[in-house]
Amino acid sequence: MDAEGLGWLLVPLHQLVSWGAAGAMVFGGVVPYIPQYRDIRRTQNAEGFSTYVCLVLLVANILRILFWFGRRFEAPLLWQSVVMILAMLLMLKLCTEVRVASELNVQRRVFADLEPRHFWRWSRFGDYVQCVLAFSGVAGCVTYLSLDSALFVESLGFLAVLTEAMLGVPQLCRNHRHRSTEGMSIKMVLMWTSGDTFKTAYFLLNGAPLQFSVCGLLQVLVDLAILGQAYVFTRHPLKPAPHAAHPTSAKAL
């Protein structure tokens, strides 16, 4: 009787935990960007955040959705991609508005110009949307024509998760180039790390395709590298170079 009563309690509890884990999987990925979004809105400065992070996540999640048509995986992972795409478009919209508002003598840059040097530095949010739609259309057509190839489908899945694993690389490179993490939300990176750890554990425990687990581990390592940069650059900040007196200024004095 006790065993039956315990079983009656454990079944709904297990179901509740499963729903909670699925919900965390769907919405947990966007939570790290909330502090960064709020910081950008508050300071009206987006220089500390690399918008290439948005590019990486948009590409990765579009490819993951296309992978689902060739090899079905758990629904929470599919919905996570949809939610992440919407969140990254919101981040891009804010960053574009803030950057354009702070620029003087703005030269209008549009996606239709197809200028490589202006790629992902356009002046309007609508141009980013055009780029995302164009990529989705081309990738969708290629996927539709190649769904019968198991090699293509598996390669598509690996490319999707590998791209996502490279999520932190643009931020890592920006920090290294500037020898500083100023403007980057540490809360965002800490949430990246905890979220990616949870996500990788979820992949392993739920038997997700091998590509997901391997690239999840790689993503955690990149997150830890960014946290290491934050520690090192805070302890050993880059000393500003001394400003030499300008000849004209000295002459005027």
Side-chain angles (χ1 to χ4, degrees):
M1 187 69 179
D2 291 342
E4 291 179 2
L6 188 60
W8 176 83
L9 179 64
L10 288 178
V11 169
L13 183 61
H14 179 268
Q15 188 67 47
L16 187 63
V17 171
S18 298
W19 287 345
M25 201 65 206
V26 172
F27 297 103
V30 304
V31 172
Y33 298 95
I34 296 175
Q36 185 72 68
Y37 186 91
R38 294 179 63 185
D39 286 347
I40 293 173
R41 282 195 72 174
R42 179 175 52 81
T43 62
Q44 289 297 295
N45 184 353
E47 289 301 317
F49 177 72
S50 173
T51 53
Y52 287 101
V53 169
C54 300
L55 173 62
V56 170
L57 277 174
L58 286 167
V59 170
N61 285 282
I62 289 168
L63 292 179
R64 189 198 285 184
I65 290 172
L66 295 175
F67 176 52
W68 183 84
F69 288 98
R71 181 176 175 185
R72 302 298 168 90
F73 48 81
E74 289 194 335
L77 297 178
L78 177 65
W79 284 110
Q80 182 200 47
S81 293
V82 175
V83 171
M84 183 62 75
I85 288 171
L86 295 175
M88 289 302 101
L89 290 174
L90 284 174
M91 283 291 293
L92 270 177
K93 185 175 186 298
L94 176 64
C95 290
T96 304
E97 290 172 352
V98 169
R99 190 188 73 244
V100 171
S102 64
E103 287 180 347
L104 299 176
N105 300 322
V106 179
Q107 178 187 357
R108 192 165 178 268
R109 301 180 292 267
V110 298
F111 169 66
D113 290 341
L114 300 178
E115 282 278 354
R117 61 196 177 97
H118 291 156
F119 179 76
W120 217 247
R121 292 282 298 174
W122 300 304
S123 303
R124 299 180 309 164
F125 171 66
D127 291 296
Y128 292 94
V129 175
Q130 290 176 32
C131 179
V132 170
L133 291 176
F135 174 77
S136 301
V138 172
C141 289
V142 173
T143 302
Y144 177 76
L145 295 173
S146 308
L147 279 178
D148 292 335
S149 169
L151 177 62
F152 174 83
V153 171
E154 293 301 321
S155 299
L156 179 65
F158 181 76
L159 182 61
V161 290
L162 180 63
T163 305
E164 186 175 356
M166 295 296 103
L167 160 68
V169 172
Q171 191 69 52
L172 189 74
C173 294
R174 183 209 166 276
N175 296 343
H176 178 73
R177 188 169 63 251
H178 293 278
R179 303 295 297 172
S180 170
T181 56
E182 184 179 357
M184 182 191 75
S185 173
I186 299 298
K187 291 179 184 177
M188 178 187 72
V189 183
L190 287 171
M191 289 181 181
W192 274 358
T193 309
S194 58
D196 291 337
T197 303
F198 169 80
K199 182 172 64 178
T200 304
Y202 183 91
F203 292 157
L204 292 169
L205 294 174
N206 287 275
L210 180 63
Q211 301 102 313
F212 285 69
S213 301
V214 172
C215 293
L217 291 171
L218 178 60
Q219 201 166 354
V220 172
L221 293 177
V222 174
D223 296 339
L224 293 175
I226 295 175
L227 286 175
Q229 284 183 323
Y231 175 78
V232 170
F233 295 155
T234 301
R235 291 288 299 267
H236 306 285
L238 184 66
K239 295 180 180 179
H243 295 285
H246 195 280
T248 306
S249 301
K251 190 173 182 179
L253 291 173

